[in-house]
Amino acid sequence: MAELGGGKAPPAPPLARVLPQGENGVGGGAVRVGTRRSQLARIQTDSVVEMLRELYPDVHFEIVAMSTTGDKILDTALSKIGEKSLFTKELENALERNEVDLVVHSLKDLPTSLPPGFTIGAVCKRENPLDAVVFHPKNCGKTLHLLPEKSVIGTSSLRRAAQLKKKFPQLEFRDIRGNLNTRLKKLDEKEDFSAIILAAAGLKRMGWENRIGQLLSPEDCLYAVGQGALAVEVRAKDQEILNMVSALHDADTVLCCIAERAFMKRLEGGCSVPVAVNSMLSDGQLYLTGAVYSLDGSDSLKDTMQTSVNYPQQNEDGPNDDVQHVGITAKNVPGQALQAAENLGVELASLLLSKGAKHILSVARQLNDAR
């Protein structure tokens, strides 16, 4: 990916400015980091804390783990629960109560509109955003094309199921819930599933890359908004912590994810409807492909648009210093580039809406509610 003109993250702010003694519960240099309890969430949080420790070696970081609604409800498909902040609400409550100073999330778990008083202060460099197929040991070496007819594929994602039903009509798709460990155990120890679909990023972070039997290209399966990226959520008015985490921003990832989130927000999408994207930055041009699907994949709309994000970094201190773009505050990325990325997402969604996307999504939502 091309470097943006002036879009690279600046060096970390000086510590004394970042953590004044006694403010915001970080007196004495202790910063509390909230995370979900799952093994993957802990690995992701540890990786962010490790980056912060390298930037701020004198600060003590304390990790506070908690369970979320999404972790507790394991017998219902995510799309059926109807709660936008399934994996984030308890963490945000702790942030609001000043029990933690920042929270690490998978960006795809964060709604496009955050509750008042919060912002995403950092989006870290994205891991591979593609979906991956993990096969039952007896199907090792196969691809989805080679599985016998009526083979059952496990996925809790309407987005994945809609795209793959259309591409592989001979296969059957069934919900599978639980964290990564649980899903892999269900796959390996029972005969219920021939394969399951998971995010490649999570498998890689867990050290299970060797389980990936097939990577699904964007032609096979567009990915979820924000997939593969980690987000650091903070209190919007907590300037010290906001300055501190902003050094973690990856400019390319920020621009791609702002475009994706703006696309989703304009469509009013969520995990209860199949919305999918693919974004790429090359030579100062940001390309966004977005699509909406009916639940069975038979009806869909898909298009691609591009825009220039090649703007120089300007001194933008002042009243607009902390402008949020679909929940993200990124002072160290040129403001014009951020706005162009957001506009791209909105314009692409508007194009699909003008072609009938609202009808496809409302039918998908109704059918999902009736399931």
Side-chain angles (χ1 to χ4, degrees), residues 9-13 52 55-56 121-122 242-250 332:
L52 286 169
L55 292 168
Y56 307 100
L242 191 52
N243 287 340
M244 177 190 218
V245 302
S246 68
L248 300 178
H249 267 309
D250 176 72
N332 47 6

Side-chain angles (χ1 to χ4, degrees), residues 66-274:
M66 57 196 87
S67 294
T68 66
T69 307
D71 295 314
K72 292 168 189 165
I73 304 174
L74 294 176
D75 56 352
T76 310
L78 295 180
S79 59
K80 292 289 290 173
I81 300 170
E83 167 64 69
K84 271 189 178 171
S85 46
L86 274 178
F87 295 109
T88 59
K89 192 185 249 177
E90 285 79 1
L91 297 163
E92 286 173 339
N93 288 346
L95 199 54
E96 188 172 31
R97 291 192 299 263
N98 207 25
E99 293 166 3
V100 296
D101 301 298
L102 56 113
V103 173
V104 179
H105 302 282
S106 292
L107 181 58
K108 72 173 182 178
D109 290 339
L110 279 170
T112 51
S113 296
L114 298 183
F118 299 114
T119 190
I120 297 164
V123 180
C124 306
K125 189 171 177 63
R126 194 175 210 166
E127 186 51 83
N128 186 338
L130 299 180
D131 289 312
V133 188
V134 179
F135 292 91
H136 187 282
K138 70 181 180 193
N139 294 315
C140 200
K142 289 186 175 166
T143 63
L144 290 179
H145 279 289
L146 297 173
L147 287 177
E149 203 164 321
K150 302 282 188 206
S151 291
V152 177
I153 312 300
T155 175
S156 55
S157 158
L158 295 179
R159 170 190 58 81
R160 290 171 182 149
Q163 293 181 81
L164 296 173
K165 278 176 185 173
K166 173 86 183 213
K167 195 141 188 105
F168 304 99
Q170 76 280 16
L171 302 177
E172 293 184 4
F173 293 86
R174 203 174 294 160
D175 281 328
I176 183 168
R177 282 292 321 280
N179 58 36
L180 273 186
N181 311 55
T182 307
R183 291 189 215 188
L184 284 174
K185 201 170 175 184
K186 284 180 184 175
L187 172 69
D188 291 343
E189 294 181 5
K190 297 181 178 178
E191 298 291 324
D192 297 357
F193 299 99
S194 298
I196 57 176
I197 317 288
L198 301 164
L203 289 163
K204 189 168 181 189
R205 290 185 182 122
M206 291 285 276
W208 295 338
E209 228 176 337
N210 63 324
R211 287 304 308 266
I212 297 176
Q214 182 181 1
L215 268 180
L216 296 173
S217 71
E219 290 72 39
D220 285 328
C221 192
L222 296 176
Y223 45 82
V225 167
Q227 185 158 304
L230 298 182
V232 182
E233 189 178 17
V234 300
R235 290 179 289 271
K237 288 190 164 47
D238 194 339
Q239 283 299 324
E240 286 74 30
I241 296 294
L242 191 52
N243 287 340
M244 177 190 218
V245 302
S246 68
L248 300 178
H249 267 309
D250 176 72
D252 287 6
T253 304
V254 168
L255 291 169
C256 286
C257 290
I258 282 176
E260 293 172 16
R261 284 171 64 81
F263 173 74
M264 170 89 102
K265 185 175 184 178
R266 177 75 180 89
L267 289 174
E268 298 177 353
C271 67
S272 62
V273 288

Side-chain angles (χ1 to χ4, degrees), residues 203-353:
L203 289 163
K204 189 168 181 189
R205 290 185 182 122
M206 291 285 276
W208 295 338
E209 228 176 337
N210 63 324
R211 287 304 308 266
I212 297 176
Q214 182 181 1
L215 268 180
L216 296 173
S217 71
E219 290 72 39
D220 285 328
C221 192
L222 296 176
Y223 45 82
V225 167
Q227 185 158 304
L230 298 182
V232 182
E233 189 178 17
V234 300
R235 290 179 289 271
K237 288 190 164 47
D238 194 339
Q239 283 299 324
E240 286 74 30
I241 296 294
L242 191 52
N243 287 340
M244 177 190 218
V245 302
S246 68
L248 300 178
H249 267 309
D250 176 72
D252 287 6
T253 304
V254 168
L255 291 169
C256 286
C257 290
I258 282 176
E260 293 172 16
R261 284 171 64 81
F263 173 74
M264 170 89 102
K265 185 175 184 178
R266 177 75 180 89
L267 289 174
E268 298 177 353
C271 67
S272 62
V273 288
V275 173
V277 294
N278 176 42
S279 61
M280 185 182 73
L281 229 164
S282 179
D283 296 330
Q285 290 288 313
L286 177 58
Y287 300 84
L288 178 66
T289 298
V292 300
Y293 302 89
S294 59
L295 288 191
D296 64 359
S298 61
D299 203 1
S300 66
L301 283 168
K302 177 178 169 183
D303 223 313
T304 302
M305 293 177 80
Q306 69 186 82
T307 192
S308 172
V309 287
N310 202 9
Y311 295 98
Q313 177 75 325
Q314 294 168 335
N315 187 358
E316 296 172 8
D317 284 347
N320 296 322
D321 191 24
D322 288 351
V323 171
Q324 286 194 34
H325 296 272
V326 274
I328 297 171
T329 302
K331 304 185 216 185
N332 47 6
V333 181
Q336 289 168 290
L338 297 170
Q339 192 59 56
E342 184 170 357
N343 292 346
L344 177 66
V346 172
E347 285 164 20
L348 181 60
S350 298
L351 176 64
L352 293 192
L353 286 168

